[in-house]
Amino acid sequence: HKFIKNNKIIQGAGPADINGSGLTGDYVSMKNYNHCTVILNFGAIGAANTVTLKQATDVSGTSEKALSFTEYFKKEGTSTDTFTRATCSSTFNTGTTSNSVYVVEIDANDLDVDNGFDCLRVNIADPGASTIVGVTYILSEPRYADDSMPAAITD
């Protein structure tokens, strides 16, 4: 099976220096998917970064609020290819090791679905030093069988 035929890959934020502005990732809709893997791929890290996730009722950010999550995975630096699990309380701080990858796994039912929330995005506060990062969302477990993966950047 080809990965691309079973998963929707969305660029949440292109690689950029977030010093001075932080990062407001694009929203992605989970309306047609049961799972989202959020990948933060860091190049140079000048200072620790505070990472949160936001949820909304549409990809425009309507009714935005914090998304609760309790764990993430990290692989810091290039000397290892092993991810370690870490716990958190809806936010976490990265280390300062360059060339690190952080991953957050979110199920659709982790969002406030009872109140119509089905979209999410990444937010990283201004680190106060040059930090290069890009964000990728991988949506998986589509809710409906189809020859093409359903849209995820529109509602």
Side-chain angles (χ1 to χ4, degrees):
H1 293 7
K2 297 198 184 314
F3 184 85
I4 196 76
K5 292 219 173 240
N6 296 300
N7 300 279
K8 185 77 160 186
I9 303 169
I10 305 292
Q11 185 176 48
D17 186 348
I18 63 170
N19 183 35
S21 61
L23 181 140
T24 300
D26 291 339
Y27 265 103
V28 65
S29 174
M30 294 186 67
K31 184 184 325 184
N32 294 311
Y33 298 90
N34 289 315
H35 189 80
C36 182
T37 301
V38 179
I39 302 171
L40 297 97
N41 194 0
F42 287 88
I45 299 180
N49 296 266
T50 303
V51 177
T52 58
L53 298 180
K54 303 289 185 173
Q55 60 181 320
T57 57
D58 59 39
V59 294
S60 300
T62 303
S63 302
E64 180 178 86
K65 65 181 182 178
L67 174 58
S68 179
F69 63 102
T70 58
E71 71 176 4
Y72 64 97
F73 301 86
K74 60 185 178 177
K75 183 196 74 65
E76 296 178 316
T78 57
S79 63
T80 182
D81 63 356
T82 302
F83 281 86
T84 57
R85 179 183 174 275
T87 58
C88 62
S89 181
S90 300
T91 188
F92 67 89
N93 292 319
T94 68
T96 55
T97 303
S98 294
N99 302 311
S100 293
V101 179
Y102 293 82
V103 176
V104 182
E105 301 278 0
I106 300 293
D107 287 328
N109 61 6
D110 293 336
L111 281 71
D112 182 5
V113 292
D114 290 342
N115 291 305
F117 287 78
D118 61 5
C119 299
L120 69 87
R121 75 169 177 85
V122 170
N123 189 76
I124 303 176
D126 178 0
S130 183
T131 298
I132 310 296
V133 64
V135 176
T136 302
Y137 305 119
I138 299 176
L139 293 142
S140 57
E141 302 176 24
R143 294 183 181 181
Y144 308 102
D146 194 345
D147 286 340
S148 61
M149 299 304 287
I153 58 172
T154 59
D155 285 316

